[in-house]
Each structure stands twice: as C-alpha cells, then as structure tokens.
Amino acid sequence: MAPMANDADVANPPEGRSVERLFALTLFVSASLLFCVQPMVGKMVLPLLGGSPSVWNTCMVFFQATLLLGYLWAHIGTRLLSPRRQAIVQIVLLGVGFLVLPLVIDQARVDAIPHGESPIGWLLLTLGLAVGLPFLALSTSNPVLQRWFASTGRAGSEDPYFLYAASNAGSMLALLGYPIVVEPWLRLGGQGVAWTFGYGILVGLTGACAVAVYRSPRVITPSPSEANDADRRDGAAERRARPVTWRRRLSWIALSFAPSSLMLGVTTYLTTDIAAIPLLWVLPLALYLLSFVIVFARRPIPFHPRVNRALCLTSVPLIVAWVTEATHPAWVLVPLHLFLAFAAAVLCHRRLAQDRPAARDLTEFYLLMSVGGVLGGLFNAVVAPMLFSRVFEYPLVMLLACALLPDEPREEPAAEGADEGAANGGTGTGTGTGGTTGWTGRTRLLDLGAPAMVGALTFALILGVQAFGLAIGRESTLLMFCGPAILAYSFVKRPRRFAAAMLALLLVASFTYVGIHGRQMHTERNFFGVSRVTRDPAGPFRLMVHGSTVHGRQWLAEDAAAFGVPANEPLAYYHRTGPIGQVFAMLASERPEARPVAVVGLGAGAIASYRRPGQELVFYEIDPAVAAIASDARFFTFLRDAPGAGGPPAIVLGDARLRLRDAPQSHYGLLVIDAFSSDAVPIHLVTREAIALYLSRLRPDDGILAMHISSRFVDLAPVLAALAADANLVCLVRDDAGGPPDEEEPPGKEPSRWAVFARDEAHLGSLGRDERWRPARGWPGASPWTDDWSNLLGTLAVWGRPPR
C-alpha cells in the first residue's frame, strides 16, 4: 500500500526546490542587467558633461526614480491583477523594452547639450529616451517575481524576502564586474549587443516563472501561521503579522533615505575632495547593495546591540576630517569613509529587514523603500546644491544615520518590552528609544546640554588655537578637536544625543575654523562641483580651489610689489620655470609670429599672462562658475591684465570636444588641454577621436598640442604614448616634481607634469633637445583609448602620492 502524502509533501512538492532556484536565477539575471546598464549608460554620458561627479549623481536620481515607477506599477498591478494575468502583462512590458535596444545616445541629443547652464534637464530627458523603457521593465521584476513566488504555495513562499538577497547579489557582482571584466574587453557597441542578448535571456526566464505560476497546485496568499519554525522562534512571523501603520511606513522611508543619501554623499566627497580615482564611485554603490544581501539573507548575521558604536566611533574622525579638509593619506581615509557608508547601510537596512511585513504587503514595502531612496537621491543631487556651498549634506546624513540607531539598553532592570526592542535593533514599532525611561528632567537637561557643551568647547578651542598662531597641522587639529570629539562620544549610548553633540561640533567648526586653503573669500556650487576663492595661509597669494585641487594662484597686489614681481605673474602649475612656461618661452623665442592659442580649461586664467601683442587667445571652459570667478577682478586679474591689446581673452562656455568643432580648421599654433575634473583629466579628452579633433584645429606645419597630466592617482603617460603611436605623432613628457633636493622652488610654484605632441620633432624646437623632456613610454601592444573603449584601472598610480 502506497504511503499517504502528508501536509509537508503538499506544501513542498518535489519540484518546489527547482522553482525556488528558477525565481532566484531570474532575479539574479534581472538585477545584473539592471546594474550593468547603469555604469554603461554613465560611460556614455559622463564624457559629454565633463566627467563631473554630479553627472553620476543625477544618473542615480533618474535610476532611482525609474525604479520607484517600476515598484509603483508592481504595487498597483498586484492589487488589481491576479498573478496569472499579471504574468502576461509582465512579458508584454519586457517585450516593449526591445523597442530602444541596443542602447545608444542619438547624435541629435548630443548636439542639444546646453552650454553655460545646468544640463540636468537635458541629462534626464536623454536617459529617459535612451534607457527608460527597458530599465522601467527591469525595475518591476524584483517585487513582481517575489509576489509571484509568494502565490505559488511552495516551501518558503510565506517569506519570499530571501529572493531580495539573490537580486542584490546579482546587482553587486554586475557593478563590480563592469570595470574589471566588461569595460576592458568590450567596446560600448559590443556592450550594448551583449546587454541586449542578456535582456532576451531574462524575457525567457520570466516566461518560465510565469509558467511555474500557472502550474502551481494552488495560488494563495500565505498567512503568517505558515511561517517556518525559525521564524516562530525569533518572533519574525509575529512582527510581520502586525498591521502596516503610517508610523511603520514613515520608518521604512527614513531607514531607506539615510543609506541612499549617504551612498551618494560619500561618492561625491571621495571623488572630489579625497581622491579622483577612476571608478571609485562603484565601491559605495556595491557596498550599499551588499548590505541588502547580508540583512535579507535567510540566515542573517546576528549583531550585538553595541555594534552600533562602530558607526558612531567612525563618524567622529571623519567629521573632523571633513571640517579640516584632510585628504591624505588616501589609503586610510578612503577605507574609513567606505566603512562608515557600509556600516550605516547595514544597520539601517537591518532594521528594515526586521520590520518587513507579510507577503501580502510586500509590494508596498518595496515601494516605500524606493520612495526613501529617491528622496535621498533628490536631496543630494537637487536640494543640497541649492542649500549648501560645500558638500555639507554628507556629514549631515552621516549624523542622521547615527541618530536613527536605537538607544543601548540600560544595564539596570527595565521594562521587558523596552529591553527586547533595543536588543532587536528597534524595529520602529515602539517609541524607538530602547531602554530609556522617558523625558525625565535629567534626560531633558542632557539632551539639550550635550550639544551646547560640545559647541561651546569647540568654539573656545578653535579661537584659542588660531589666536596663538599655531600652524595648521596635526598638532593644532588635535588641540582643537580632540576634547570636543571625546566629549561628544561619551554620549554614544544615546545615539540621538551623540548626533546632536557632533552636529554642534560640525556647525561651530564650519563657521570658525580656517582650513589648509585659508579663509574663504567666495564660494560657488553648481552642477560641476564646488569652486572657492581663498586667502592662502602659507603665503601672500589668493587661491582658486575646486574640490581638493588648487586650480589657480595669484599674488596679492601689495605683496607682489614687495617681491618685485607683477601681480599677474603666472604661478602654480603655470610658473615660467615649469613645463608649460618653457613651452611658451620656446614659442616666444623661436617663432616670431604670434600664432593663435586655444586653452581647454580656464582655472584662474594664469595662461593669459603669456599672451603676446596681437595674439589671439581663446579659453574653453565647461563650468560657468569658474568663468565668473576668473573674470571677476576682485579675485583674479589674469584676464583683465593680459598682455597685448584687444581686452580680455575670449571665453567659450561648453564642453571642449563639442565647442572645438566650431573652431576654424588648421588655425591654432598651440592647443593646451588643461581640463581637470578635481584631480583627473576627463577621459573623453584623451581618446583617438579627441586627438584627431585637436590635430584638425592645429596648423599642419608646426602646430603643438600640450596636455597637463598632473595627478595623484592617474598615470596618463602610457595612454598618451599609445595615442601618439596610433596617430604617428611625437610625444614628450616633462615631470617637474622631484628636482634636486638643494634646489628651492620659487614662491607660489607647484610641481607639474606636462606632455607635448607634434607631427614632427622639429616642430618642438628646443624642447626636443632638452633632456628634461623625455619620450612617453607606453605598454607593449597597448591599444589607444577611443570614445567607446578605455581601461581606467590600468592608469592607477601608486596610492599615497603626496598632494600637489
């Protein structure tokens, strides 16, 4: 007699495990495509807008907003349609995505890039036209497929959130695999074809999932009573069974907002103020995704309540580093910033995972998580640049993440429910204060007094140390901030009190501390970053600073007279004794005719000091704020006082690659490429197509191309060597750093590294006979960079090179 099937056999038929694997694989592929297309499209648009980190942040806002639309559709669709009907609609939606494949940005959109104004509107519309449809279709997959799986009645379908971990694992691997595997081996056209092929595979897998839904023995909405034994033991099923109140909804949004904003904040801060390392923006996003994998796994890692202290402890030195503009050593600061972003994401997302609702409310849960993510992105990309002149949103959200942590349970006996809530990380269902006893008089006094004490101590120490005239350095920083930081950390058991105390330190220091670049005279922040004018604390100079990079230096008029030099004497990387000064000296001495000169990248306008009588000089500048500062004689007078008649040199706003197309053919005798993006040359200015454009605008008989390649983290010399070999050009490089130890640098000079190109070595004149100019050395068999292929990882220089 055959044995009778029991309830477990009905709930978990033999094919149940294969169905689970099918859904997990489909979500893995969907997420991989979703996060592979983001850097791929970013690579398409970043060069068109100068490589600014704001381009990536705006892209992230678009992707988050489209993800929100996908989650909204999933939520509405699951409420209005049965899983079987929704399966048909989902296949149709994925099929519509094929209408814009393979991915490409139309030339008409490139020609429509606005010049001299914010390109945010253009960028959002371009992304919508290029990738909107398939990205929207992909963004629906995660909630829809999890809801389908929950309806099958298979084993584990009562809690399908483990599939979210599989989805985020695919996202993370795709994101990291793009710069390591995809970008070095495939050109953009090949990447688009491969992505289209993967999209077709996803459509097939989604169809297989739909068939699994149709073949399910029963289509149900699992009840909490069907939870597994592990869920019953740790109370997860009971927590999921609670009604979804507005308090829970707001908690989901807040716990999603903080990690999203922090991820974008740390990306902007690291890539502009710490290290302009290629593809560094990938790491914060990858860690952000990894946090979801950890907390939504079937067996999440247990955390002791005091692990929250790690986040607070890390925030203390990083807040001080932000205030003092510390950028070195990068090998210490970069991992610390990444750890903080990761810890905040894990702790906030862990509370989300603990408070996840039953499967029937799954789509609303993901929808509100997406709302929080979009709000975080909008805050960083749109709101913060209008409110703050620096990247102030980063330390603010850092402290917000600390404030969202639950209080540590009191060591003395307390209410059982309060201690349990704190031990479980605070799921947002109670008061959120862990083991506190309420607003007693002592609690109120400490909550208000802690930030006041820290702020007052910070104010007194900063003014005292600066009044004594101590030089900016490690010792003065410790004297000013060590005491207030220790006092603030003493409140770590109450994270909100700690966050308020650190906020007081941050605010007081922001208004009273004079940093390494000196007292600020003017600050502008726009889409392209933060540009500042400061008074150099180390000498009688005025500085232009972009991110952490000095883009210009000029003598103060009264001090220039005391030193016996003109106020518009070129300094910093443009000093007369430096490489670019030698280029202009060679032209002045060996070529009597003052031929036209074009400069890509304005900075403070120091190169204008090399203009000769009757010489045409044109600057190409993408950032309107830089053009405004350089043209304002209150700050810099290089343009106003440029030698020669005819007034200040002309400034052409817009991306150089696009604007140079309008320049006359074979016109310039010298073309200078000095386009920094904080600390790195934009990639699209060092490709085969870019070199061809430059050569077409240079005189064929003796035109010279000069390129500024100074960088702490990127070595472009091998790239330039490959480009020179490809175009049959001569390329020489002079590195002005590391001179004789007994040789004192002139005041105001910065060591720099420059490369010069010419069709014939004779065109370089005396530069070709100077042993300081050496041929650029490349890698054997290296391919030149093109507009659709580059290998950024291969350009990384040794970490920790001293700041320029």
Side-chain angles (χ1 to χ4, degrees):
M1 180 176 178
M4 297 182 61
N6 55 32
D7 292 340
D9 295 329
V10 176
N12 186 18
E15 68 274 15
R17 186 63 65 182
S18 61
V19 170
E20 177 182 308
R21 293 193 183 103
L22 171 64
F23 275 86
L25 176 61
T26 305
L27 282 171
F28 182 90
V29 172
S30 173
S32 298
L33 291 170
L34 200 68
F35 277 83
C36 189
V37 77
Q38 293 184 37
M40 185 167 70
V41 173
K43 185 177 176 66
M44 295 178 182
V45 298
L46 272 168
L48 300 176
L49 298 173
S52 166
S54 296
V55 179
W56 175 246
N57 281 357
T58 305
C59 289
M60 285 300 298
V61 171
F62 169 82
F63 292 134
Q64 289 175 324
T66 308
L67 191 70
L68 173 62
L69 290 177
Y71 282 10
L72 178 62
W73 156 247
H75 179 62
I76 295 173
T78 54
R79 296 297 175 94
L80 299 180
L81 303 173
S82 67
R84 294 184 175 182
R85 290 184 177 179
Q86 192 179 32
I88 299 175
V89 176
Q90 185 69 11
I91 297 297
V92 172
L93 180 62
L94 287 169
V96 171
F98 277 108
L99 295 177
V100 298
L101 297 180
L103 301 175
V104 66
I105 295 180
D106 188 79
Q107 185 60 41
R109 295 301 307 156
V110 176
D111 296 336
I113 294 177
H115 304 297
E117 59 187 71
S118 174
I120 290 180
W122 175 90
L123 179 56
L124 293 175
L125 178 59
T126 300
L127 291 172
L129 294 174
V131 74
L133 281 176
F135 195 89
L136 177 65
L138 287 173
S139 65
T140 64
S141 296
N142 185 50
V144 166
L145 289 175
Q146 287 192 48
R147 192 67 179 84
W148 290 2
F149 182 71
S151 72
T152 62
R154 308 287 183 182
S157 61
E158 73 285 344
D159 183 21
Y161 291 96
F162 70 92
L163 292 173
Y164 194 44
S167 172
N168 282 283
S171 303
M172 185 182 66
L173 290 177
L175 195 65
L176 294 176
Y178 183 83
I180 297 173
V181 178
V182 178
E183 187 180 40
W185 293 99
L186 288 177
R187 299 182 183 274
L188 275 176
Q191 293 175 28
V193 172
W195 195 88
T196 302
F197 180 74
Y199 188 84
I201 292 176
L202 174 68
V203 174
L205 288 172
T206 305
C209 291
V211 171
V213 172
Y214 271 82
R215 295 178 57 188
S216 297
R218 53 194 178 118
V219 179
I220 61 171
T221 299
S223 66
S225 61
E226 297 171 337
N228 58 40
D229 292 339
D231 278 352
R232 282 195 292 268
R233 283 196 301 271
D234 66 10
E238 288 73 15
R239 288 198 297 271
R240 289 197 294 273
R242 290 192 309 269
V244 178
T245 63
W246 278 108
R247 182 165 188 162
R248 288 184 75 185
R249 292 185 177 101
L250 291 176
S251 173
W252 295 342
I253 293 175
L255 291 170
S256 302
F257 171 91
S260 171
S261 176
L262 194 60
M263 180 262 296
L264 294 176
V266 73
T267 301
T268 300
Y269 182 64
L270 287 180
T271 54
T272 57
D273 289 0
I274 298 293
I277 299 174
L279 296 172
L280 183 59
W281 54 266
V282 168
L283 294 180
L285 182 54
L287 293 174
Y288 174 81
L289 296 171
L290 179 60
S291 69
F292 285 112
V293 177
I294 292 173
V295 301
F296 280 95
R298 271 182 164 167
R299 295 178 178 84
I301 301 173
F303 290 93
H304 190 278
R306 291 191 178 182
V307 76
N308 298 341
R309 292 191 182 188
L311 175 61
C312 297
L313 178 62
T314 307
S315 70
V316 173
L318 293 186
I319 291 287
V320 174
W322 184 89
V323 169
T324 59
E325 300 183 68
T327 62
H328 202 71
W331 64 270
V332 172
L333 288 174
V334 170
L336 273 180
H337 284 284
L338 293 176
F339 172 78
L340 180 134
F342 178 61
V346 168
L347 293 172
C348 290
H349 292 157
R350 175 172 172 264
R351 294 186 66 186
L352 279 172
Q354 290 175 329
D355 196 34
R356 63 189 185 273
R360 62 177 179 271
D361 297 311
L362 176 149
T363 55
E364 182 181 7
F365 176 66
Y366 285 129
L367 176 64
L368 294 176
M369 283 177 59
S370 182
V371 168
V374 170
L375 291 177
L378 287 173
F379 175 69
N380 283 62
V382 179
V383 178
M386 295 189 295
L387 294 179
F388 309 125
S389 59
R390 290 182 63 190
V391 190
F392 201 73
E393 64 273 16
Y394 175 47
L396 276 184
V397 179
M398 189 189 304
L399 295 178
L400 172 63
C402 294
L404 288 173
L405 298 174
D407 291 352
E408 290 186 13
R410 300 180 61 181
E411 295 183 2
E412 62 266 32
E416 180 181 351
D419 283 343
E420 181 183 352
N424 287 332
T427 58
T429 59
T431 63
T433 59
T436 60
T437 59
W439 275 74
T440 63
R442 180 174 178 272
T443 301
R444 184 190 300 270
L445 181 63
L446 282 174
D447 286 341
L448 298 177
M453 289 188 294
V454 172
L457 180 59
T458 304
F459 182 79
L461 289 175
I462 289 178
L463 291 187
V465 171
Q466 292 181 163
F468 275 101
L470 290 180
I472 298 173
R474 185 179 304 171
E475 293 77 12
S476 61
T477 299
L478 289 174
L479 286 174
M480 285 185 278
F481 297 108
C482 187
I486 292 174
L487 179 59
Y489 188 72
S490 67
F491 306 115
V492 71
K493 289 185 178 181
R494 300 292 178 262
R496 281 181 295 282
R497 190 179 299 162
F498 162 80
M502 287 300 299
L503 179 61
L505 183 154
L506 174 65
L507 292 175
V508 170
S510 297
F511 288 102
T512 58
Y513 176 75
V514 178
I516 58 175
H517 294 301
R519 191 171 299 279
Q520 294 190 26
M521 304 172 62
H522 180 75
T523 304
E524 287 193 39
R525 182 178 181 182
N526 61 10
F527 182 83
F528 300 99
V530 178
S531 299
R532 295 177 289 160
V533 180
T534 68
R535 171 72 181 266
D536 190 345
F541 308 109
R542 188 176 290 119
L543 305 178
M544 175 186 280
V545 184
H546 187 277
S548 62
T549 303
V550 175
H551 279 213
R553 176 182 283 121
Q554 185 172 16
W555 285 98
L556 299 174
E558 59 275 14
D559 293 290
F563 277 84
V565 296
N568 67 336
E569 180 70 10
L571 302 174
Y573 320 111
Y574 317 102
H575 200 278
R576 294 189 188 276
T577 63
I580 193 63
Q582 186 183 2
V583 171
F584 277 100
M586 183 274 294
L587 293 175
S589 63
E590 301 178 20
R591 297 183 184 177
E593 181 183 352
R595 290 168 180 168
V597 175
V599 182
V600 175
L602 174 60
I607 288 181
S609 298
Y610 290 108
R611 188 173 68 173
R612 296 155 65 185
Q615 186 174 46
E616 176 189 347
L617 176 60
V618 180
F619 286 96
Y620 292 86
E621 175 57 50
I622 195 171
D623 189 344
V626 171
I629 291 173
S631 302
D632 193 331
R634 295 176 302 165
F635 306 131
F636 300 98
T637 60
F638 291 118
L639 299 181
R640 186 196 68 183
D641 299 337
I651 300 176
V652 179
L653 288 176
D655 180 76
R657 279 281 301 271
L658 301 178
R659 303 298 274 172
L660 273 173
R661 295 176 183 172
D662 301 328
Q665 295 268 353
S666 306
H667 181 65
Y668 295 111
L670 174 65
L671 176 57
V672 180
I673 308 298
D674 183 31
F676 283 90
S677 177
S678 182
D679 196 38
V681 177
I683 298 171
H684 70 305
L685 298 182
V686 286
T687 64
R688 172 189 286 161
E689 293 81 359
I691 296 295
L693 175 64
Y694 304 152
L695 293 176
S696 69
R697 267 55 185 174
L698 284 170
R699 293 170 58 96
D701 53 347
D702 58 2
I704 296 176
L705 172 65
M707 189 171 295
H708 191 183
I709 58 173
S710 304
S711 177
R712 287 171 286 179
F713 303 101
V714 177
D715 182 12
L716 283 176
V719 176
L720 301 186
L723 289 169
D726 180 68
N728 196 27
L729 301 174
V730 176
C731 178
L732 304 180
V733 176
R734 178 184 166 188
D735 194 338
D736 202 30
D742 56 344
E743 183 179 329
E744 185 177 350
E745 291 285 5
K749 180 182 178 181
E750 290 279 355
S752 59
R753 194 182 194 199
W754 290 78
V756 291
F757 296 81
R759 294 181 175 90
D760 192 297
E761 188 171 349
H763 298 168
L764 297 175
S766 59
L767 301 183
R769 300 185 296 272
D770 191 325
E771 63 180 12
R772 292 174 297 179
W773 290 91
R774 301 177 179 178
R777 297 184 180 277
W779 303 294
S783 299
W785 284 6
T786 65
D787 283 351
D788 64 353
W789 181 85
S790 60
N791 183 9
L792 283 169
L793 293 181
T795 68
L796 284 182
V798 178
W799 275 45
R801 182 182 294 176
R804 289 180 287 107

